[in-house]
Amino acid sequence: GEDPKHNNKPDAGYVPNAKTAIKIAVAVWEPIYGEKQIAEDRPYTALLTNGVWIVDGSLPKGYVVGGVAIAEIAKDDGRILRVSHGQ
């Protein structure tokens, strides 16, 4: 039968691209900040730096108060390294 330890991990890691990183970030943000708040932070951007996806939302033009959601996600294994919401 199947080896229970078998791990189908891709070479590019579990979070190979920005689209995947954003999906994970949104899934983590919504229970914390609420779906409405997170929807207001769109569009999201994901930037890969030293093997960590830094995902954040966008502020509407001319909007300075409140900040946006930020998540740092490990490209290799999908660990959530940091979540915050700028003030």
Side-chain angles (χ1 to χ4, degrees), residues 21-69:
I22 289 167
K23 283 182 178 176
I24 294 170
V26 170
V28 171
W29 287 332
E30 284 184 344
I32 303 172
Y33 304 114
E35 290 183 29
K36 181 176 178 290
Q37 171 73 58
I38 294 312
E40 288 172 0
D41 284 353
R42 282 187 298 219
Y44 314 115
T45 57
L47 193 66
L48 184 62
T49 308
N50 298 326
V52 176
W53 286 106
I54 299 169
V55 187
D56 59 9
S58 305
L59 285 172
K61 280 187 174 50
Y63 192 81
V64 284
V65 187
V68 295

